[in-house]
Amino acid sequence: MRPGGNRGWLLRLVIAFSFAQGAVSMARPAVSYRALALGADERAIGVIAGVYALLPLFAAVPLGRRTDHGRCAPLLPAGVVLIAGGCALSGTANSLAAMAAWSGVMGLGHLSFVIGAQSIVARQSAPHDQDRNFGHFTIGASLGQLVGPIAAGALIGGPDMAGTSALALLVAGAVAAVSFVSLWRTEHRDRPKSRTGRGDRVPVHRILRTRGVPAGIFISLAVLSATDILTAYLPVVGEHRGIAPSVIGLLLSLRAAATIACRLVMTPMLRLLGRAALLTTTCLLGALLCAGIALPVPVWGLAVILALLGFCLGVGQPLSMTTVVQAAPDEARSTALALRLTGNRLGQVAAPAAAGLVAGVAGVAAPFVMLGALLLIASGLGLRQGRTGAAEPEPTERRGRTPSAPEPERH
């Protein structure tokens, strides 16, 4: 079968990812509300949120190594079990230490699922299909990010905050478990033969020095940081400008919907502009739009900015995956993707901390200017990648393969 000829496996991955991401997006605000009900202050909330991102950092590269030399699919059910368990046990925890521990388990499960799923997409997509397939794969994340917070908001509230937040976490665990119905036949049955022995693994420093990999990691970090800080600080902006929380929720949903729309039309945009030009253009526009949020615009203007920003931010994640996969050595693709996710996790820890510092000094709108600067740097890296790509052969050609003869699809 021609690579990419039957994409039922990709549809099943998107469905499973939608439920897994929806569960995480539902659980994370619920964890904060339950921790507050247990007596946590802002600092404790920050620690619990940080454990979610920090704990998986130690597992990312080993998981990537394992996937490079074996099958990817086993990471998917393992990730779902950890997500569902972390959600449900967070709902029954009665101490802040237990909340932090189960939050870390949830983060580890999400990381395991994403590494396995991204590696399957990279392995089973022809080179010319990777941008499209990664774009469709990340629609699952956008759907989860769109529905999860709305579901959490519908369940949490009233005088019994501890009880309603616990219920939301138990429901999130059940939502994660639904992913199991879509995890069949996601990976072709033949185990890929390792191109290197266990003693010949590509060193991490060599992967990070490969042209294209650092740029892909930074672009991904900048885009994810923009999404996270937007979600965290737009409510603060709303409070200062007198915008109701319900309106802020709709604005955030509008941003997520625009991201989904972007990924649905990724293929024609790539045909029109090419990967490097599309990355450069969207990061540059995203930088300007982020800075625009700092301006005292009316609500309808804010809605327009967020819709355009959501569309621009939809490009960075899938195309950075392709950039990293095609730049990395064949025998270290999953490890390279794991390093990209490590960069994302570091950004999820460092960016909010930096945003809080900037906001404390220069006001609540200042973090959006900081995000604009990050995306401006990402735009420059995208432009640089385009120039080097025009001057050098494609990574697959440098390794002796041609795009017209992709690796056969495994069954």
Side-chain angles (χ1 to χ4, degrees):
M1 183 182 296
R2 179 177 57 85
N6 181 354
R7 294 194 296 149
W9 60 270
L10 181 58
L11 177 60
R12 289 189 288 276
L13 270 184
V14 171
I15 294 171
F17 196 20
S18 298
F19 283 104
Q21 183 65 55
V24 171
S25 299
M26 186 177 178
R28 294 199 70 189
V31 164
S32 296
Y33 281 116
R34 180 155 177 79
L36 287 170
L38 293 176
D41 56 13
E42 291 82 358
R43 184 178 302 175
I45 295 293
V47 170
I48 292 172
V51 171
Y52 172 89
L54 280 175
L55 186 60
L57 287 178
F58 302 99
V61 172
L63 285 174
R65 293 288 198 198
R66 179 213 169 278
T67 307
D68 275 323
H69 297 275
R71 296 183 63 225
C72 311
L75 285 180
L76 305 184
V80 171
V81 167
L82 291 173
I83 292 172
C87 292
L89 291 169
S90 293
T92 60
N94 291 314
S95 71
L96 296 181
M99 292 289 295
W102 295 126
S103 180
V105 169
M106 189 195 316
L108 182 60
H110 186 261
L111 180 80
S112 300
F113 187 98
V114 172
I115 288 178
Q118 288 183 5
S119 299
I120 288 174
V121 176
R123 186 174 291 174
Q124 297 182 178
S125 301
H128 58 275
D129 288 336
Q130 285 177 343
D131 286 321
R132 179 196 64 190
N133 288 355
F134 275 124
H136 289 171
F137 168 71
T138 52
I139 288 174
S142 299
L143 287 171
Q145 291 166 357
L146 176 65
V147 176
I150 296 175
L155 290 172
I156 301 171
D160 185 15
M161 186 67 71
T164 56
S165 58
L167 174 62
L169 286 164
L170 292 172
V171 172
V175 169
V178 177
S179 299
F180 280 115
V181 305
S182 189
L183 289 181
W184 52 279
R185 294 178 62 189
T186 53
E187 184 178 30
H188 301 307
R189 293 181 181 179
D190 290 346
R191 176 174 174 168
K193 294 180 180 179
S194 173
R195 294 177 178 84
T196 60
R198 291 183 63 87
D200 299 323
R201 292 174 174 176
V202 181
V204 168
H205 66 82
R206 179 183 155 194
I207 300 172
L208 291 174
R209 290 177 182 174
T210 303
R211 186 184 298 275
V213 172
I217 290 174
F218 185 87
I219 291 169
S220 178
L221 182 154
V223 171
L224 185 66
S225 296
T227 303
D228 275 9
I229 292 178
L230 186 66
T231 302
Y233 277 87
L234 195 63
V236 182
V237 171
E239 283 293 313
H240 279 74
R241 298 184 186 177
I243 303 173
S246 59
V247 176
I248 293 295
L250 289 174
L251 290 174
L252 290 172
S253 295
L254 177 63
R255 194 280 310 165
T259 297
I260 294 173
C262 166
R263 288 165 180 171
L264 288 172
V265 297
M266 186 80 73
T267 300
M269 290 194 299
L270 284 166
R271 290 196 191 114
L272 181 65
L273 296 175
R275 187 191 310 138
L278 185 59
L279 265 175
T280 301
T281 303
T282 53
C283 286
L284 179 59
L285 290 175
L288 297 175
L289 290 164
C290 275
I293 296 176
L295 302 176
V297 296
V299 172
W300 66 265
L302 197 57
V304 172
I305 289 175
L306 287 170
L308 294 173
L309 180 59
F311 193 90
C312 291
L313 294 179
V315 169
Q317 290 294 331
L319 294 196
S320 68
M321 293 178 199
T322 308
T323 299
V324 168
V325 164
Q326 295 191 353
D330 278 356
E331 62 273 21
R333 286 179 172 182
S334 295
T335 304
L337 286 170
L339 288 170
R340 174 187 166 277
L341 290 171
T342 299
N344 285 353
R345 297 295 194 190
L346 287 172
Q348 285 181 301
V349 174
L357 181 62
V358 170
V361 173
V364 295
F368 297 103
V369 178
M370 181 193 78
L371 288 179
L374 269 180
L375 289 170
L376 191 62
I377 296 172
S379 175
L381 290 174
L383 180 62
R384 182 181 178 187
Q385 285 300 112
R387 288 175 176 172
T388 57
E392 297 182 2
E394 288 295 319
T396 53
E397 292 173 337
R398 290 199 303 268
R399 291 191 291 265
R401 298 199 313 270
T402 62
S404 60
E407 185 177 343
E409 191 173 23
R410 300 176 178 90
H411 296 273

